[in-house]
Amino acid sequence: MKRIVWFRRDLRVEDNPLLALGGEVFPVFIFDTQILDALPQDDRRVSFIFDRVLKLKKALQTKGLELKIFCGDPLEIFSVLEAEGFDEVAASGDYDAYARERDLRISHILHFRYLHDTYIFKPEEVLKDDGTPYLVFTPFYNKAKAQLTKEHMQEFTFVDQKLYQTSYEGITKLNGEEETVLPLTISSVGFRENMPRTDEVESKLEQLKKHLPVYAKERDYLDKEATSQLSIDLRFGTISVRALLRFLVEQKKSGVDTEPFFRQLVFRDFYAYLLFHFPDLATHNHKYRFNGIEDQEKYAAFCEARTGVPVVDAGVRELLQTGGMHNRVRMICASFFTKDLLLPWQWGEAFFAKYLLDYDAASNILSWQWSAGTGIDPQPYFRIFNPYLQSKKFDKEAGYIKKWVPELASVEPKKLHDESYLLHHTIEGYPKPMVVHKEASQNALAYFKQRL
Ligand SMILES: Cc1cc2nc3c(=O)[nH]c(=O)nc-3n(C[C@H](O)[C@H](O)[C@H](O)COP(=O)(O)OP(=O)(O)OC[C@H]3O[C@@H](n4cnc5c(N)ncnc54)[C@H](O)[C@@H]3O)c2cc1C
């Protein structure tokens, strides 16, 4: 068997089912121009991927293998490779609409072997008794938990493989029939280095060990740093989700309640499962005709972090400056966006997609639909976060707000959680709130009720 082994969302050697197949292998990574062409040259994610691809190449070398790095349209690349007599291409599943369409088209060129890797459960694994997908998280979670076996945590061990002999130098760019080999630098794929600050997986796991016992209590607090920061690693597969489950089992043995963290991982699975079964969710509401009101001025104020609502502006600044945003702040921002500002959730989703380091179509789309009240098992449309009460509770001393909005550094924390103060006082260099929360909520509720 002569096989192309295509790394995508699994940039690691350890516990990778792709490397447990044997035979003659041609390991490849493709900088997909269909995706890259839409991104700015300093996109942080491309720097992260580039860095991890180089690490993968080195790790494969220690195992006697190599990685061929391409840049181009995968369809064209596989059309060229097909002529070299490969039996198949193996890759792990990727469920967003573009990936599914691309893989389907490649499967017409070469036999495509899908391996399950990215999520805990396969999309058809956790179904209702009548064989249909769950539409509500809690029963999905209960069934998933009941179905979880050792197999879901299986470690894939590396097996001996014969390396397909070809040149593995540089980055091979295919443009039609033309092939050029460029130096192994990020500029060869058309980008500038802009590496985000993110630790290696090992040190994140060390931190997580300390935080797991208080994860449930502290995860929502903006000054606690109690969450794992592993979303980018799960996104690009620099950690295997099975390895994370094994880590949780170990922690559980030492008496830690790991369930709250496990539940979040299952949330991630649930969202991918929903997008897999209901691909229309990517663009369409599952329920209600809440399409929002297109208002470019409001949208610009949100995206430029000048809403005058401190926690919202802090979140957007964190996103723009680092590519990260705490989960609680994502929820506050998405609620403010879709309810106080009544903007279309798709606009907010696209804005987050542009900047989030951990951007994952399923988690982002479904979370935005959750916030907008339009998704499958969403937050009820009439529940509208009060951003001031949220920041008062989760950022009492306003450390998070002040970190990202230094114009507010000298304002007493309690005033930053007090809408009336912010509406009636001028703070130099910082705008007044663009909406009055109570009025905006009533307006949103009236809009929603008309469209139920
Ligand atoms: C509007 C909005 C947009 C979001 N967009 C994304 C996105 O594009 N990519 C993404 O990975 N997550 C997204 N999330 C979910 C969540 O905010 C992040 O997964 C989390 O903040 C990552 O931080 P962490 O790794 O420290 O999480 P931890 O709290 O340590 O959680 C562990 C892991 O569980 C998963 N997880 C945790 N919370 C959620 C959740 N609510 N939904 C789904 N999975 C979860 C993540 O993979 C995370 O790494 C979004 C949430 C909201 C409200």
Side-chain angles (χ1 to χ4, degrees):
M1 173 68 75
K2 193 164 131 189
R3 172 185 303 120
I4 301 171
V5 163
W6 185 14
F7 290 88
R8 294 127 47 113
R9 294 185 61 159
D10 50 355
L11 302 180
R12 62 176 194 284
V13 165
E14 311 75 40
D15 192 8
N16 192 332
L18 275 184
L19 297 170
L21 295 170
E24 183 176 359
V25 294
F26 180 35
V28 304
F29 179 83
I30 302 173
F31 282 98
D32 182 346
T33 44
Q34 297 291 326
I35 298 172
L36 296 188
D37 285 352
L39 302 178
Q41 284 192 335
D42 60 352
D43 191 284
R44 294 186 191 93
R45 292 162 295 199
V46 179
S47 282
F48 178 84
I49 295 168
F50 197 82
D51 179 76
R52 296 315 196 248
V53 165
L54 292 190
K55 285 183 173 137
L56 173 66
K57 189 172 171 73
K58 281 196 183 133
L60 285 168
Q61 284 166 352
T62 65
K63 301 275 188 188
L65 294 182
E66 254 294 357
L67 183 69
K68 176 105 172 173
I69 305 174
F70 288 98
C71 180
D73 177 347
L75 278 165
E76 284 179 18
I77 292 168
F78 284 105
S79 304
V80 172
L81 292 178
E82 192 264 337
E84 296 188 29
F86 290 100
D87 298 304
E88 64 178 23
V89 51
S92 53
D94 200 347
Y95 305 146
D96 71 44
Y98 165 72
R100 283 170 74 173
E101 172 69 23
R102 176 197 60 201
D103 292 351
L104 182 68
R105 293 171 78 185
I106 290 170
S107 73
H108 296 308
I109 303 172
L110 261 172
H111 177 256
F112 204 112
R113 184 194 285 229
Y114 252 129
L115 299 176
H116 174 68
D117 178 64
T118 312
Y119 299 100
I120 305 170
F121 299 99
K122 293 180 187 148
E124 323 74 21
E125 224 179 317
V126 186
L127 297 171
K128 290 196 271 188
D129 292 344
D130 65 3
T132 60
Y134 281 99
L135 302 180
V136 178
F137 177 71
T138 304
F140 173 86
Y141 178 65
N142 292 336
K143 182 83 166 260
K145 222 168 44 166
Q147 280 186 205
L148 188 76
T149 64
K150 282 197 170 138
E151 244 177 71
H152 295 102
M153 300 174 215
Q154 177 196 351
E155 180 169 5
F156 286 87
T157 42
F158 183 92
V159 299
D160 278 343
Q161 291 145 83
K162 183 168 173 260
L163 180 66
Y164 173 68
Q165 290 305 308
T166 184
S167 160
Y168 287 90
E169 296 299 306
I171 297 178
T172 304
K173 228 174 175 171
L174 283 185
N175 216 341
E177 294 289 286
E178 212 178 294
E179 182 179 314
T180 347
V181 179
L182 299 170
L184 198 48
T185 59
I186 193 164
S187 56
S188 296
V189 290
F191 284 78
R192 279 198 305 274
E193 194 177 311
N194 186 15
M195 188 64 186
R197 285 184 60 179
T198 177
D199 293 332
E200 297 288 333
V201 165
E202 296 70 26
S203 84
K204 288 182 186 177
L205 290 177
E206 277 308 308
Q207 285 302 316
L208 183 57
K209 240 185 228 175
K210 289 188 207 146
H211 293 305
L212 259 185
V214 288
Y215 177 79
K217 216 168 100 205
E218 296 190 346
R219 64 182 286 259
D220 278 320
Y221 289 85
L222 310 187
D223 55 350
K224 298 283 190 207
E225 297 185 354
T227 69
S228 69
Q229 309 294 329
L230 281 167
S231 50
I232 186 172
D233 300 287
L234 287 162
R235 170 66 183 85
F236 296 110
T238 43
I239 186 167
S240 115
V241 72
R242 295 175 303 281
L244 194 48
L245 291 180
R246 295 194 295 272
F247 168 88
L248 293 182
V249 168
E250 282 308 305
Q251 298 309 303
K252 198 172 171 182
K253 279 187 197 152
S254 48
V256 177
D257 176 11
T258 54
E259 177 139 6
F261 188 87
F262 172 68
R263 193 180 161 87
Q264 294 313 116
L265 287 182
V266 178
F267 245 117
R268 173 177 175 268
D269 254 65
F270 184 56
Y271 284 161
Y273 164 96
L274 289 181
L275 193 60
F276 178 88
H277 289 289
F278 306 98
D280 274 4
L281 285 170
T283 44
H284 290 79
N285 296 358
H286 178 69
K287 55 174 156 190
Y288 306 139
R289 289 174 300 118
F290 300 169
N291 299 322
I293 296 168
E294 300 191 1
D295 183 324
Q296 292 290 352
E297 275 181 34
K298 285 185 180 169
Y299 181 60
F302 178 88
C303 298
E304 291 163 19
R306 43 180 183 81
T307 65
V309 182
V311 70
V312 171
D313 292 338
V316 172
R317 296 240 196 132
E318 181 189 10
L319 178 66
L320 296 176
Q321 288 173 38
T322 68
M325 196 197 278
H326 191 286
N327 179 59
R328 173 60 48 180
V329 186
R330 294 186 203 200
M331 287 159 68
I332 299 169
C333 284
S335 174
F336 183 78
F337 189 98
T338 53
K339 293 180 171 168
D340 291 53
L341 300 186
L342 261 185
L343 290 165
W345 66 261
Q346 291 90 338
W347 288 18
E349 196 278 327
F351 177 64
F352 272 29
K354 191 167 166 195
Y355 293 100
L356 276 179
L357 288 178
D358 64 15
Y359 170 63
D360 170 79
S363 289
N364 202 45
I365 291 164
L366 273 295
S367 297
W368 274 92
Q369 291 239 37
W370 181 87
S371 295
T374 56
I376 294 185
D377 195 16
Q379 150 139 292
Y381 71 86
F382 49 81
R383 201 163 292 155
I384 302 182
F385 278 24
N386 179 325
Y388 303 97
L389 294 182
Q390 289 285 317
S391 65
K392 186 175 175 186
K393 180 164 183 196
F394 297 112
D395 189 30
K396 192 160 186 275
E397 296 308 319
Y400 177 82
I401 290 175
K402 291 183 181 203
K403 176 172 179 187
W404 297 107
V405 190
E407 300 95 293
L408 300 175
S410 59
V411 183
E412 236 184 295
K414 67 175 187 200
K415 291 179 178 158
L416 297 174
H417 312 306
D418 178 352
E419 184 182 35
S420 168
Y421 177 87
L422 295 165
L423 283 167
H424 299 109
H425 292 81
T426 300
I427 300 173
E428 209 186 318
Y430 190 70
K432 289 196 171 164
M434 63 188 282
V435 290
V436 177
H437 175 65
K438 196 169 171 196
E439 287 170 12
S441 310
Q442 282 168 350
N443 184 28
L445 283 177
Y447 169 91
F448 295 147
K449 280 185 185 147
Q450 276 170 12
R451 284 163 180 77
L452 283 180

